[in-house]
Amino acid sequence: MTLVLPTRYFISPDVAQDITPAAADHGLFALDQLEVSFDPVLDTLWTYMRPTARPSFNPGLLADFAQWQAGIDHACRSKALPIKYLVLGSTFPGVFSFGGDLDLFAQHIRSGHREALVQYGRACVRILHRNMRGLDLPIITIGLVEGDALGGGFEALLSFNVVVAERGTNFGLPETAFGLFPGMGAHCFLSRRLGSARAEQMILSGRSYSAEELYDLGLVHALADPGEGRRVVEDYIRQNRRRHSGHCAIYEASRAVNPLTLDELEAVVDLWADAALRLRDVDLKLMRRLVAAQTRLLAAAAE
């Protein structure tokens, strides 16, 4: 793996003096849609999504995630960065992620391009499966939710060990509104967390859930007041650093007791692609309206 020092690799000034030579010399994260910084005091890699268009998982962002995971693996195994905690958030105001690239989905559905849908879905679940496994490293993953997480955005958070959400944020799986279902892991993850019946109920309802509701269900692990999400994550890490090894072992044991294979996730992607190709024109029109609403939100955020 060839390493270059990227201009986008950011280290905050207040901790830069503590960076080890290995970390300073080996920039691992030259990414267009992910903003990455390392805190050597907390041994934490902070990453924020900054998609170039709507706050969704466009193909470029998925490619960045794959490269990001490869960089983390290299940084840990080469000891360039002593990462113990991995945090993912979003820079988009009021939104963690709206999930799948609906505009892209509609294009592939109209052209009947099943293989393109499958390739997109498998790219998503490969990233989520690796995240669920902590990249097979002694790393604890934390999702930081400072805005709404819908569809694939919610599914992505289910792959994290810990989710910290600000009060007032909303979560949902709205795919049933346009005749589809969440095909990037929701059923697999929720069935293991809540049981199959409760998972189906959440998916079929299409309703929105507050951070407080998901905290009561155990899907959100800590609540923060608006604007306090990062501080709560930092506090969580400080309070649990001495238990890091034990926590890693607990999460590994949980995966062993209730395993989720990549094959299972990919099989659901195949079902999702088949369901997508059965959508009617009225469903695609609703999908386009959702894309238009997301685009207006992007324009408002840019003002």
Side-chain angles (χ1 to χ4, degrees), residues 219-285:
L219 298 177
V220 166
H221 304 90
L223 294 170
D225 290 332
E228 294 294 313
R230 178 160 178 143
R231 181 190 62 78
V232 170
V233 170
E234 291 172 341
D235 288 346
Y236 173 87
I237 293 171
R238 290 190 187 97
Q239 293 165 8
N240 291 282
R241 287 183 71 194
R242 292 184 179 179
R243 294 182 283 271
H244 174 268
S245 180
H247 285 188
C248 285
I250 289 169
Y251 295 131
E252 187 174 4
S254 295
R255 293 191 295 269
V257 169
N258 208 349
L260 172 56
T261 67
L262 181 58
D263 285 345
E264 179 181 332
L265 289 165
E266 290 183 340
V268 174
V269 166
D270 289 345
L271 295 172
W272 169 82
D274 291 336
L277 292 177
R278 293 195 295 268
L279 292 181
R280 303 163 299 168
D281 287 342
V282 65
D283 299 318
L284 294 177
K285 287 179 181 177

